Amino acid sequence: MNAVEIEAAISELALQPFDAAEFPFAFLAAFGNKDTALSRLRAGNNNTSDVSGGVLQRNNIHIAVCDVGTVGETLKALRTSPATTKAKAKFILATDGQTLEAEDLTGGETKTCDYPDFPNHFGFFLPLAGISTIKEIKDNPIDVRATGRMNKLYVELLRENPDWATNERRHDMNHFMARLIFCFFADGTDIFNGTGLFIQTVEQMGERDGSNTHAVLETIFRAMNIKIAERANAQPRLPNWANGFPYVNGGLFSGSTDVPRFTRMARTYLLHAGGLKWREINPDIFGSMIQAVADDEERGALGMHYTSVPNILKVLSPLFLDELRAQLTEAGDNERKLLNLRKRMARIRVFDPACGSGNFLVIAYKQMREIEAEINRRRGELHLGSEIPLTNFRGIELRDFPAEIARLALIIAEFQCDVLYRGQKDALAEFLPLDAQNWIVCGNALRLDWLSICPPTGTGVKLVADDLFSAPLNQTKIDFENEGGETYICGNPPYLGSTWQTDEQKADLEAIFTTRTKNWKSLDYVAGWFMKAADYGTKTKAAAAFVSTNSICQGQQVPILWPLVFATGHEIAFAYTSFKWTNLASHNAGVTVIIVGIASFAQRNRKLFSVSEDGNVNAKEVDNINAYLVAGKQVVVEKSAKPLTSISEMMFGSKPVDGGHLLFSQDELESLGLSQQDKERFIRPIVGSEEFIGGKQRFCIWIEDEDAAYAHAHPVIGPRLQMVRSMRLSSTKLATQRGAEWSHRFDERRQTGDETVVIVPSVSSESRDYLPVGYMPKGTIISNLAFALYDAPLWNMALIASRLHLIWIGTVCGKLETRYRYSNTIGWNTFPVPLLTEQNRDDLTTCAEDILLARDAHFPATIADLYNPVNMPDNLRRAHERNDEVLERIYIGRRFKNDTERLEKLFELYTKMTSATGKAKPAIKATREKKAS
DNA sequence: CATCCGACATTGG
DNA sequence: CCAATGTCGGATG
């Protein structure tokens, strides 16, 4: 259950007549407990409560229903009950059906409220449903409740008005919802008359069955588009009851006043939604939540792409807020300096070209208002209106509804800031009418001209390229107020790896990159935002920072994207290295993200941030940040088809592309019932990453071409080959379809099966201190999930097993989230190795043998067991230490001090190796030696 | 032909 | 259910 569903369930519960016996179970059910769990509790066999009327669920909550007026004592009894402690309850709750008291035993926080009111505090109880990390939801239950109510209304309206769900009318529907939200908010504050004018009007003027609700709303909307002075002449005449509504307009109420038809249910939902405390709506999170209302995909995943406030600040603070705050501190009470800062802020533009429902813009606006308020306080000018124009917070959003919401969220933020800093009276005085301009553009950010939407010289907006979602006309031609300032671009654009992009998205990237590189097809979708931001920065003073998937700073994308960004004169001004994305959807394992800030005027002291597992942020000041988000020189490692030094050639394993029909576990193999002869002829052990690391047995059918006819006719193997054939034929990939012709074989075969092998898994856990590398006897097949050196000298293994190599791979190769992802072309072939003498190679061979022997002593421990970082066997660790010692002496004559020094040396050697003068020096001589030996 | 990647995918405690 | 940790084959160079 997500937060919205839970809210709905407990709101429903609170409406029911109080049933003392049933309440604890109904309460638990509302938080997603299954019937089976409840019936067990009911039966009492795992209800260990020692309080009368108590229900205790292990690791969760101790609830007691008590006689009227004894809630306080009962809660105390629950608190002191030994059973509460023993069952590790997180909450205690007592109620008599009139009041309700509860305590969060982990945090110590308590809640007391009237019983019917407890759904308003449901955020407090969310940890019961395993939703504990989202502070914003916990603190703002009203946003979740509003979302739930609006969602119901939306679904009901579309059910009754299917034509409003069509593409042509979707915008009208979204606009209608935005109008409603504005009315609710205005109703909750004094923007309307302060006594619930809107809801009262709908309730009193509308029939109970909802049949004329649309007409009432249409009239109200029309009123808000007519200036007070012009109302007497309005055609058709405006009824008196509508005259109490102010003139709002602001684009929000211009245009069609069409309203969908209401059912009785829809009208109830509308009134229900209007009953919430909308004045407390928090535009930080509200927008992200409510946008799920109109999005079929997002509705289930509720807020999946919502960026939490701390994460938004990770972008905005180093981008420009820190600097503003520093300037504020520096100004002290100096009136002139304070005024300068205020003037500077009035000219700052914040631009989010993937703004969604306006999260980043709202937070940026609120932060700047906070700074401005402090300036005004120090200057004794708290009464002053804000000089920060809302229209300087611009955005582009692809989807229509979030774009509507973004503007609304900013308007709400402005009003709330005015109330907070200037008081209700001043806030109201200037709030209406709304600015008629629309500064959130609905369109495709990669196709629109950012300079037109956020023009450097204030020359107005013109929309170019194919704006696929027909931007409303009134959003053009908006000049900036207060020209000549700085622009800060920010946001969390969508990430999508090349494999997952639609043709349309690919075309978006093509349009941006095709003139600069032929390899644009391998870039993540998010790369488009970085490139456009860099281009923008060449035309005007701007800096940009985005949350991004970490893959654009890893592996193959680095040499494609970053040289192009750097070529525009931009550098990485600050960055957050990889951290795990967290969001509202519990099932969403998420993605690993980075934050990268770029600027063409970056200062020398650049901040490189990292987030530790407990969420703490570590900042380090460095001179330069390279494209791998590592402090140090600007190095880009290009993939290489062949080794740059004397190391052996590393190959990919063999790729079955068999749909599972050529592979077996031990059990499956036995159940095939092959004759001993056939087994020997056709079955081989196959090893990929998992088999090697976890010590698992797996087998494959491996058929030489001359045996193909026999195998096809074989009663057991033949049908399997047929399945491989049909699987390959059904592929969308042409090469795979052709592979159907040799269905007795792996689609891509890289070995004869008669070689000794040094194996390296292609993906492995980041928790180990060394890369898992192994040695296999003849006869083993290596799958495409591992790399292999076939019949190679063992000293190669010593290199791969070294700390130096781990650091190199971890830095220049791609990653799977944060896991190591090995690559022969990017990581092995480019690995900088000094010239190795014969003696060196002998020493390294001995080291590799020692590592293998050290492992053998623990037979049958798996690689995963042996390299578990917390209990790696001493003898194995010593063998690796010796290996590192020998290798590092070859590099610099001593051990390296730390990984930073290792990486510096490796980058230095790589640069020498690949520069024109030093090209492949170690390789030439070593190659000759190799041939001689 | 030969990989590199995944707002991932699957497993196993 | 979530924390740990690597499949699999398509798209791409």
Side-chain angles (χ1 to χ4, degrees):
Chain A
M1 281 174 99
N2 67 35
V4 167
E5 291 163 335
I6 292 166
E7 189 281 324
I10 66 166
S11 294
E12 181 60 30
L13 171 61
L15 288 175
Q16 303 294 326
F18 182 71
D19 177 344
E22 200 44 38
F23 173 80
F25 306 106
F27 183 87
L28 287 170
F31 280 89
N33 277 278
K34 300 245 161 50
D35 287 346
T36 48
L38 292 179
S39 56
R40 247 179 283 150
L41 265 183
R42 232 186 268 270
N45 48 10
N46 55 359
N47 175 15
T48 52
S49 175
D50 54 358
V51 173
S52 125
V55 173
L56 173 57
Q57 191 179 41
R58 217 183 152 65
N59 293 322
N60 219 24
I61 186 166
H62 198 172
I63 305 175
V65 179
C66 56
D67 294 336
V68 174
T70 62
V71 171
E73 300 147 46
T74 310
L75 194 76
K76 200 171 158 205
L78 288 169
R79 194 182 299 127
T80 50
S81 131
T84 300
T85 324
K86 193 148 164 271
K88 296 186 185 142
K90 287 184 279 199
F91 285 89
I92 49 176
L93 185 157
T95 184
D96 56 4
Q98 296 183 0
T99 59
L100 182 145
E101 288 189 36
E103 183 171 337
D104 176 351
L105 295 171
T106 22
E109 199 184 336
T110 57
K111 280 273 182 269
T112 305
C113 62
D114 290 339
Y115 176 81
D117 203 29
F118 85 84
N120 286 325
H121 304 282
F122 88 101
F124 178 77
F125 295 111
L126 275 180
L128 290 175
I131 305 175
S132 56
T133 49
I134 310 303
K135 192 170 170 304
E136 285 87 356
I137 286 194
K138 192 162 176 260
D139 296 348
N140 301 286
I142 177 69
D143 298 289
V144 180
R145 307 195 72 184
T147 301
R149 306 272 168 97
M150 295 305 279
N151 199 348
K152 276 187 174 171
L153 175 60
Y154 185 87
V155 171
E156 175 69 10
L157 286 175
L158 285 189
R159 200 178 60 77
E160 180 68 13
N161 304 268
D163 54 317
W164 285 67
T166 58
N167 277 341
E168 300 83 64
R169 299 221 71 181
R170 197 41 87 96
H171 173 73
D172 292 339
M173 183 66 191
N174 293 339
H175 198 60
F176 167 70
M177 292 300 280
R179 285 172 170 177
L180 272 189
I181 291 165
F182 176 84
C183 290
F184 288 147
F185 179 73
D187 223 22
T189 59
D190 293 343
I191 296 170
F192 291 166
N193 70 0
T195 59
L197 176 67
F198 178 70
I199 280 300
Q200 275 170 25
T201 307
V202 172
E203 193 161 21
Q204 288 162 11
M205 302 313 296
E207 302 291 339
R208 294 193 75 102
D209 64 2
S211 58
N212 72 339
T213 303
H214 67 282
V216 174
L217 290 172
E218 277 165 8
T219 305
I220 295 173
F221 291 169
R222 194 160 66 85
M224 290 194 280
N225 193 32
I226 305 176
K227 293 188 176 129
I228 303 293
E230 295 165 8
R231 290 205 177 163
N233 304 322
Q235 282 304 328
R237 213 182 62 78
L238 208 58
N240 265 339
W241 56 260
N243 258 324
F245 289 93
Y247 172 65
V248 176
N249 192 336
L252 200 53
F253 293 99
S254 58
S256 162
T257 54
D258 237 12
V259 170
R261 301 290 157 139
F262 276 61
T263 58
R264 177 186 291 270
M265 261 340 262
R267 177 172 177 274
T268 310
Y269 289 148
L270 176 76
L271 296 175
H272 220 197
L276 295 171
K277 294 179 185 164
W278 284 80
R279 71 179 312 139
E280 292 168 16
I281 284 291
N282 177 7
D284 305 0
I285 178 171
F286 171 68
S288 324
M289 302 229 38
I290 203 90
Q291 79 177 45
V293 165
D295 193 317
D296 298 335
E297 274 174 42
E298 294 233 1
R299 206 169 305 143
L302 183 74
M304 189 165 89
H305 296 158
Y306 161 69
T307 316
S308 68
V309 176
N311 282 350
I312 291 173
L313 289 174
K314 286 190 181 88
V315 174
L316 297 179
S317 295
L319 183 62
F320 71 105
L321 291 176
D322 282 347
E323 197 196 326
L324 297 180
R325 290 237 157 74
Q327 197 179 341
L328 177 67
T329 307
E330 202 272 325
D333 286 324
N334 182 315
E335 298 227 339
R336 189 183 44 79
K337 285 184 176 173
L338 288 168
L339 190 62
N340 283 342
L341 176 57
R342 196 168 77 194
K343 288 224 159 85
R344 179 186 171 194
M345 286 207 301
R347 300 192 308 170
I348 284 178
R349 306 149 173 194
V350 181
F351 174 40
D352 181 348
C355 72
S357 46
N359 252 327
F360 281 75
L361 297 175
V362 166
I363 300 293
Y365 179 76
K366 285 171 70 169
Q367 293 279 320
M368 285 172 66
R369 284 294 301 268
E370 186 181 312
I371 296 172
E372 188 188 46
E374 176 59 20
I375 293 172
N376 291 350
R377 194 190 61 77
R378 290 187 196 174
R379 286 175 52 92
E381 297 172 328
L382 269 177
H383 62 284
L384 275 189
S386 176
E387 289 181 8
I388 300 171
L390 211 53
T391 46
N392 276 11
F393 294 75
R394 299 214 166 172
I396 305 176
E397 169 54 40
L398 185 61
R399 297 157 301 169
D400 186 70
F401 188 57
E404 289 276 350
I405 295 298
R407 193 155 59 108
L408 202 51
L410 278 168
I411 290 169
I412 291 174
E414 182 184 39
F415 183 78
Q416 289 179 339
C417 284
D418 277 342
V419 171
L420 179 63
Y421 299 122
R422 302 175 57 214
Q424 178 85 5
K425 191 158 158 280
D426 284 338
L428 277 173
E430 290 159 34
F431 186 64
L432 294 176
L434 300 179
D435 194 322
Q437 299 167 326
N438 186 0
W439 59 101
I440 305 291
V441 175
C442 179
N444 180 343
L446 294 190
R447 292 299 186 146
L448 292 168
D449 178 5
W450 293 8
L451 286 165
S452 299
I453 290 160
C454 203
T457 55
T459 47
V461 177
K462 69 175 193 302
L463 297 173
V464 298
D466 46 341
D467 175 18
L468 300 160
F469 284 70
S470 72
L473 290 174
N474 64 349
Q475 68 192 16
T476 57
K477 304 228 166 159
I478 310 164
D479 287 348
F480 275 107
E481 291 187 43
N482 314 323
E483 285 180 19
E486 312 133 66
T487 303
Y488 294 106
I489 305 174
C490 59
N492 178 14
Y495 334 138
L496 212 53
S498 59
T499 316
W500 311 89
Q501 290 160 18
T502 63
D503 289 347
E504 197 182 313
Q505 289 164 330
K506 281 192 199 306
D508 293 343
L509 287 185
E510 182 176 19
I512 296 168
F513 286 100
T514 190
T515 57
R516 313 174 206 240
T517 170
K518 59 181 169 49
N519 294 334
W520 58 268
K521 279 186 173 176
S522 293
L523 290 171
D524 192 285
Y525 197 46
V526 75
W529 272 263
F530 278 93
M531 200 65 240
K532 289 203 75 155
D535 282 345
Y536 184 91
T538 62
K539 300 284 197 268
T540 181
K541 190 174 159 73
F546 296 116
V547 186
S548 163
T549 170
N550 59 0
S551 71
I552 62 162
C553 287
Q554 292 166 356
Q556 65 175 2
Q557 293 196 52
V558 169
I560 306 173
L561 174 64
W562 290 100
L564 300 177
V565 173
F566 296 147
T568 63
H570 283 72
E571 297 182 84
I572 297 179
F574 74 92
Y576 273 80
T577 54
S578 295
F579 61 97
K580 225 179 171 52
W581 177 258
T582 51
N583 56 39
L584 311 183
S586 64
H587 66 277
N588 192 318
V591 57
T592 306
V593 294
I594 53 176
I595 294 169
V596 185
I598 58 172
S600 54
F601 49 87
Q603 307 290 312
R604 256 312 129 197
N605 56 341
R606 302 180 184 179
K607 288 236 173 73
L608 186 54
F609 300 92
S610 54
V611 182
S612 59
E613 266 178 51
D614 54 16
N616 285 328
V617 174
N618 207 309
K620 186 164 77 169
E621 287 214 355
V622 299
D623 285 343
N624 191 53
I625 299 171
N626 72 22
Y628 297 98
L629 305 188
V630 168
K633 288 214 196 81
Q634 209 51 263
V635 188
V636 166
V637 175
E638 300 268 357
K639 69 156 83 171
S640 167
K642 295 277 174 214
L644 297 178
T645 62
S646 63
I647 56 181
S648 297
E649 198 171 335
M650 184 181 286
M651 313 269 289
F652 213 56
S654 299
K655 193 166 173 176
V657 193
D658 65 331
H661 304 302
L662 293 177
L663 305 185
F664 315 98
S665 68
Q666 177 92 57
D667 288 350
E668 284 163 338
L669 178 61
E670 300 307 332
S671 66
L672 287 183
L674 289 176
S675 72
Q676 190 59 31
Q677 201 185 14
D678 282 344
K679 267 194 207 168
E680 279 167 22
R681 193 168 171 190
F682 297 126
I683 304 297
R684 300 280 195 119
I686 181 168
V687 181
S689 295
E690 197 173 1
E691 292 77 28
F692 171 60
I693 294 171
K696 293 174 186 161
Q697 290 266 6
R698 215 170 174 197
F699 300 89
C700 66
I701 299 179
W702 188 266
I703 301 167
E704 301 301 338
D705 288 347
E706 59 264 30
D707 293 334
Y710 173 83
H712 275 292
H714 192 283
V716 175
I717 295 175
R720 296 206 158 249
L721 302 186
Q722 268 310 313
M723 289 192 275
V724 172
R725 197 179 117 82
S726 62
M727 175 268 174
R728 289 185 187 162
L729 279 176
S730 66
S731 167
T732 56
K733 185 174 141 181
L734 213 65
T736 304
Q737 291 174 26
R738 249 181 320 181
E741 283 173 37
W742 52 81
S743 60
H744 66 285
R745 270 183 14 192
F746 278 29
D747 192 32
E748 296 171 26
R749 195 151 77 173
R750 305 278 156 67
Q751 65 182 117
T752 65
D754 202 27
E755 311 86 345
T756 64
V757 182
V758 173
I759 179 174
V760 195
S762 58
V763 171
S764 64
S765 167
E766 70 275 31
S767 70
R768 303 185 183 113
D769 293 331
Y770 300 94
L771 283 178
V773 51
Y775 180 80
M776 303 264 156
K778 288 176 197 252
T780 307
I781 305 302
I782 306 300
S783 86
N784 61 317
L785 302 170
F787 291 92
L789 301 160
Y790 298 112
D791 287 330
L794 203 56
W795 54 264
N796 286 283
M797 182 185 146
L799 298 181
I800 300 166
S802 71
R803 180 88 197 154
L804 270 162
H805 198 57
L806 177 95
I807 299 301
W808 182 252
I809 296 298
T811 306
V812 306
C813 286
K815 295 260 173 83
L816 181 50
E817 291 200 327
T818 49
R819 245 69 8 96
Y820 294 119
R821 164 169 258 150
Y822 204 89
S823 157
N824 53 352
T825 59
I826 300 174
W828 173 249
N829 292 343
T830 63
F831 185 51
V833 188
L835 178 64
L836 299 176
T837 64
E838 200 149 331
Q839 180 67 52
N840 293 153
R841 281 183 270 171
D842 288 347
D843 292 347
L844 289 171
T845 302
T846 308
C847 288
E849 285 166 354
D850 286 348
I851 291 173
L852 290 172
L853 285 172
R855 290 179 189 168
D856 282 347
H858 301 279
F859 181 85
T862 63
I863 293 290
D865 299 335
L866 291 168
Y867 285 85
N868 181 340
V870 294
N871 54 6
M872 190 170 161
D874 283 341
N875 68 327
L876 182 59
R877 202 175 270 283
R878 279 200 304 276
H880 274 280
E881 286 286 329
R882 271 200 306 281
N883 183 47
D884 282 335
E885 167 100 31
V886 168
L887 184 63
E888 293 182 7
R889 280 190 180 281
I890 296 173
Y891 276 76
I892 58 167
R894 61 168 170 84
R895 288 299 302 263
F896 286 95
K897 288 197 206 80
N898 51 43
D899 293 341
T900 309
E901 199 188 22
R902 286 187 182 93
L903 194 55
E904 269 172 22
K905 185 68 187 178
L906 288 169
F907 273 140
E908 178 201 317
L909 283 175
Y910 178 79
T911 309
K912 267 193 206 149
M913 246 164 50
T914 50
S915 67
T917 50
K919 185 142 196 161
K921 242 190 216 160
I924 291 169
K925 191 165 175 210
T927 310
R928 215 179 283 137
E929 279 184 24
K930 188 183 168 193
K931 272 181 190 157
S933 64

